[in-house]
């Protein structure tokens, strides 16, 4: 087992932050940032001092087998004070850019919890949740404005903090289920999303070259088949953006 795989997240960081006065904490993580199709998805898990150690086996979602991630979801939901998952669609990514889309998905995830935590622990070294002062809080017309709480960033937080690892599991399972359900539909089957979840796998790139992008692709990105030799958009699926599926049990093997 690699050194990264042998690490086990704990609540040490969270307990230290709680002793500093941040009683209600939210671990947050995202998945799908580098995909070519589908949403970017943010998971959030809220805990307080009453939450004991996380369910056994909770770790960064990338280190868990698909069936283990799915089995972990109800245990995480029972353990947390509150939890939520938010998405920003491919169309929204095209409209506002990936960083603002991450912020939008994060705000939606926080809104789903119904709780404003004292502090958000964000995986990585960049605070993409807090809106720059010059643009104010991001909100679409159909979203209620969300005042983002204070944020602390931490590199490898998904390996160190149980709350962040748990959030990564919720985000990964939810997004995978969406991509599998869409990928099983006839009009999207050629892209191989059941297996690749919208990432740049060879079969996905080949389908893009032959079919062009569909409405679930991030069309503002440089996609194979996105523009033909005459400079015109390539022909792909052109249907309204479908409703996100909610069945989290239909996930693939990757």
């Amino acid at each position: 087992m690699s050194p990264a795989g042998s690490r086990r997240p704990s609540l040490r960081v969270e307990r230290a932050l709680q002793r500093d006065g941040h009683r209600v904490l939210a671990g947050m993580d995202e998945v799908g940032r580098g995909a070519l199709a589908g949403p970017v998805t943010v998971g959030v898990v809220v805990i307080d001092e009453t939450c004991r150690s996380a369910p056994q086996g909770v770790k960064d979602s990338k280190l868990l087998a698909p069936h283990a991630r799915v089995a972990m979801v109800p245990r995480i939901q029972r353990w947390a004070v509150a939890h939520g998952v938010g998405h920003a669609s491919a169309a929204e990514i095209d409209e506002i850019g990936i960083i603002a889309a991450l912020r939008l998905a994060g705000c939606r995830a926080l809104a789903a919890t119904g709780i404003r935590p004292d502090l958000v622990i964000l995986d990585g070294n960049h605070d993409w949740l807090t809106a720059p002062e010059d643009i104010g809080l991001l909100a679409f017309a159909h979203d209620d404005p969300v005042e983002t709480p204070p944020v602390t960033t931490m590199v490898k937080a998904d390996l160190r903090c149980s709350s962040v690892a748990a959030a990564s599991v919720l985000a990964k399972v939810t997004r995978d289920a969406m991509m599998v359900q869409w990928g099983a539909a006839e009009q999207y089957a050629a892209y191989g999303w059941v297996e690749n979840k919208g990432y740049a796998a060879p079969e996905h790139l080949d389908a893009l070259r032959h079919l062009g992008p569909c409405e679930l692709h991030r069309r503002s990105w440089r996609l194979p088949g996105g523009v033909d030799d005459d400079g015109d958009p390539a022909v792909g699926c052109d249907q309204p953006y479908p409703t996100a599926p909610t069945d989290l049990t239909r996930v693939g093997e990757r």
Side-chain angles (χ1 to χ4, degrees):
M1 182 178 295
S2 66
S6 63
R7 296 180 186 178
R8 294 182 180 180
S10 71
L11 291 177
R12 293 189 187 93
V13 171
E14 289 92 332
R15 295 305 187 217
L17 291 169
Q18 287 168 336
R19 288 192 294 270
D20 288 340
H22 306 291
R23 188 181 70 83
V24 181
L25 296 171
M28 181 177 285
D29 203 6
E30 55 82 15
V31 296
R33 181 172 180 169
L36 305 182
V40 65
T41 299
V42 173
V44 61
V45 167
V46 179
I47 65 168
D48 62 15
E49 305 102 314
T50 68
C51 295
R52 299 181 179 273
S53 297
Q56 186 175 3
V58 167
K59 60 179 70 175
D60 173 19
S61 63
K62 296 184 292 295
L63 303 178
L64 290 170
H67 70 276
R69 286 194 296 262
V70 174
M72 193 70 66
V73 167
R75 297 167 62 191
I76 290 171
Q77 292 172 336
R78 290 192 297 267
W79 170 65
V81 171
H83 56 85
V85 176
H87 312 280
S89 70
E92 289 170 332
I93 293 170
D94 287 341
E95 180 177 350
I96 61 179
I98 187 62
I99 297 301
L102 280 167
R103 187 177 307 122
L104 182 61
C107 287
R108 288 170 174 167
L110 284 171
T113 70
I115 294 175
R116 186 178 188 274
D118 299 320
L119 185 70
V120 173
I121 306 171
L122 197 61
D123 183 44
N125 59 7
H126 174 229
D127 177 8
W128 44 257
L129 182 64
T130 305
E133 293 182 1
D134 59 341
I135 67 170
L137 292 175
L138 175 71
F140 276 19
H142 55 276
D143 283 293
D144 293 329
V146 175
E147 182 181 357
T148 53
V151 170
T152 184
T153 61
M154 181 177 298
V155 176
K156 303 296 184 183
D158 51 359
L159 297 177
R160 298 177 57 188
C161 303
S162 292
S163 62
V164 179
S168 77
V169 171
L170 297 186
K172 175 70 172 167
V173 170
T174 304
R175 187 182 183 278
D176 278 4
M178 294 171 68
M179 297 308 297
V180 167
Q181 188 162 336
W182 283 329
E186 182 178 356
Q187 67 266 40
Y188 307 124
Y191 296 112
W193 294 340
V194 171
E195 294 295 330
N196 64 54
K197 311 302 188 292
Y199 287 91
E203 72 277 5
H204 191 183
L205 296 176
D206 286 345
L208 278 166
R209 293 185 187 101
H210 287 91
L211 301 175
C214 72
E215 77 288 346
L216 292 176
H217 282 99
R218 302 171 188 182
R219 298 189 188 213
S220 61
W221 294 25
R222 292 184 178 273
L223 301 175
V227 176
D228 65 20
D229 293 337
D230 297 324
D232 296 321
V235 177
C237 303
D238 193 14
Q239 302 294 326
Y241 199 88
T243 303
T246 57
D247 181 2
L248 303 189
T249 64
R250 296 183 61 187
V251 297
E253 294 303 316
R254 282 177 52 180

